[in-house]
C-alpha cells in the first residue's frame, strides 16, 4: 500500500469542468434551475476533495451559495474548484461558476460557494486528509477566510443554541426588522 501524501499544493487538486446548458436544465422562467447548478457543484466538490484526500468523500455542509447572475439555456457553464482549507478529516472546496454566451463570448460570474467535504474510509469512518501547501497570497486569504467562516458558525451555534439564549436579549434587533412576534 502506498504511503499517503502528507501535503499537497492547491494546484495539485484543482479541477475544472464545462457543460453546455440544455433546455431540460431550465426552470419555469426559462433560466437554468439553481438546483441543477447545485448538483453540478456538489459533483465537482466531490471530485476535488476526493482527488486531494485520495479517498471517497461526502458533503458535510454547503456554505454561502451566492446566485449572482442567471444562466441562460445554450450557455457554456464552467466550474472551477480548489481546496481552500483542510482540517483533520475535512476540506473546504471553493467553487466558482462562470457562464459564457457562446455567440458573443461574454463570460459572467454566475455562482460561488463553499462545500465542506469529509474523507471516509471503506468502513465509512472519517479519515485524516493531507495538509495544504499554500503558494500565494490569494491561497493564504482563502484559507484564512475559511477559518473565519468556521469560527463564525461556531459562535452562532453557541449564541443561539446555548441554554442561556433568551429572545428578550434580541428585542432591539427584532424591532429593526419586518417581523411581528405572536408568541404565547
Amino acid at each position: 500500500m502506498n504511503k499517503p501524501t502528507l501535503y499537497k499544493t492547491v494546484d495539485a487538486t484543482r479541477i475544472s469542468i464545462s457543460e453546455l446548458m440544455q433546455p431540460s436544465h431550465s426552470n419555469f422562467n426559462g433560466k437554468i434551475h439553481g438546483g441543477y447548478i447545485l448538483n453540478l457543484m456538489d459533483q465537482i466538490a466531490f471530485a476535488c476533495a476526493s482527488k486531494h484526500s485520495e479517498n471517497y468523500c461526502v458533503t458535510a455542509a454547503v456554505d454561502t451559495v451566492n446566485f449572482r447572475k442567471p444562466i441562460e439555456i445554450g450557455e457554456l457553464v464552467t466550474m472551477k474548484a480548489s481546496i481552500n482549507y483542510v482540517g483533520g478529516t475535512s476540506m473546504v472546496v471553493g467553487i466558482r461558476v462562470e457562464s459564457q454566451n457562446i455567440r458573443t463570448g461574454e463570460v459572467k460570474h454566475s455562482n460561488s460557494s463553499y462545500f465542506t467535504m469529509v474523507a471516509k474510509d471503506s468502513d465509512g469512518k472519517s479519515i485524516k486528509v493531507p495538509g495544504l501547501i499554500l503558494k500565494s497570497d490569494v491561497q493564504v486569504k482563502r484559507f484564512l477566510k475559511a477559518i473565519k467562516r468556521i469560527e463564525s458558525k461556531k459562535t452562532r451555534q453557541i449564541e443561539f443554541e446555548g441554554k442561556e439564549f433568551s429572545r428578550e436579549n434580541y428585542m432591539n434587533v427584532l424591532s429593526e426588522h419586518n417581523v411581528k412576534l405572536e408568541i404565547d
Side-chain angles (χ1 to χ4, degrees), residues 2 12 20-21 27-28 30 33 45-46 56 61 77 80 82 89 94 110 113 127 138 147 149 152 161-163:
N2 292 341
L20 184 65
M21 294 296 102
N27 60 24
F28 294 112
H33 195 280
F46 168 83
Y56 180 79
V77 166
K80 301 171 184 177
S82 62
T89 62
S110 300
S113 188
I127 55 172
V138 169
I147 290 172
R149 280 192 305 276
S152 177
E161 295 175 16
K163 292 178 183 177

Side-chain angles (χ1 to χ4, degrees), residues 147-172:
I147 290 172
K148 290 291 186 184
R149 280 192 305 276
I150 292 165
E151 289 172 353
S152 177
K153 183 177 179 181
K154 286 179 183 175
T155 300
R156 279 193 314 272
Q157 286 174 329
I158 291 167
E159 182 177 0
F160 293 106
E161 295 175 16
K163 292 178 183 177
E164 305 83 36
F165 173 79
S166 171
R167 78 172 169 274
E168 284 76 22
N169 295 338
Y170 297 92
M171 294 308 287
N172 61 331

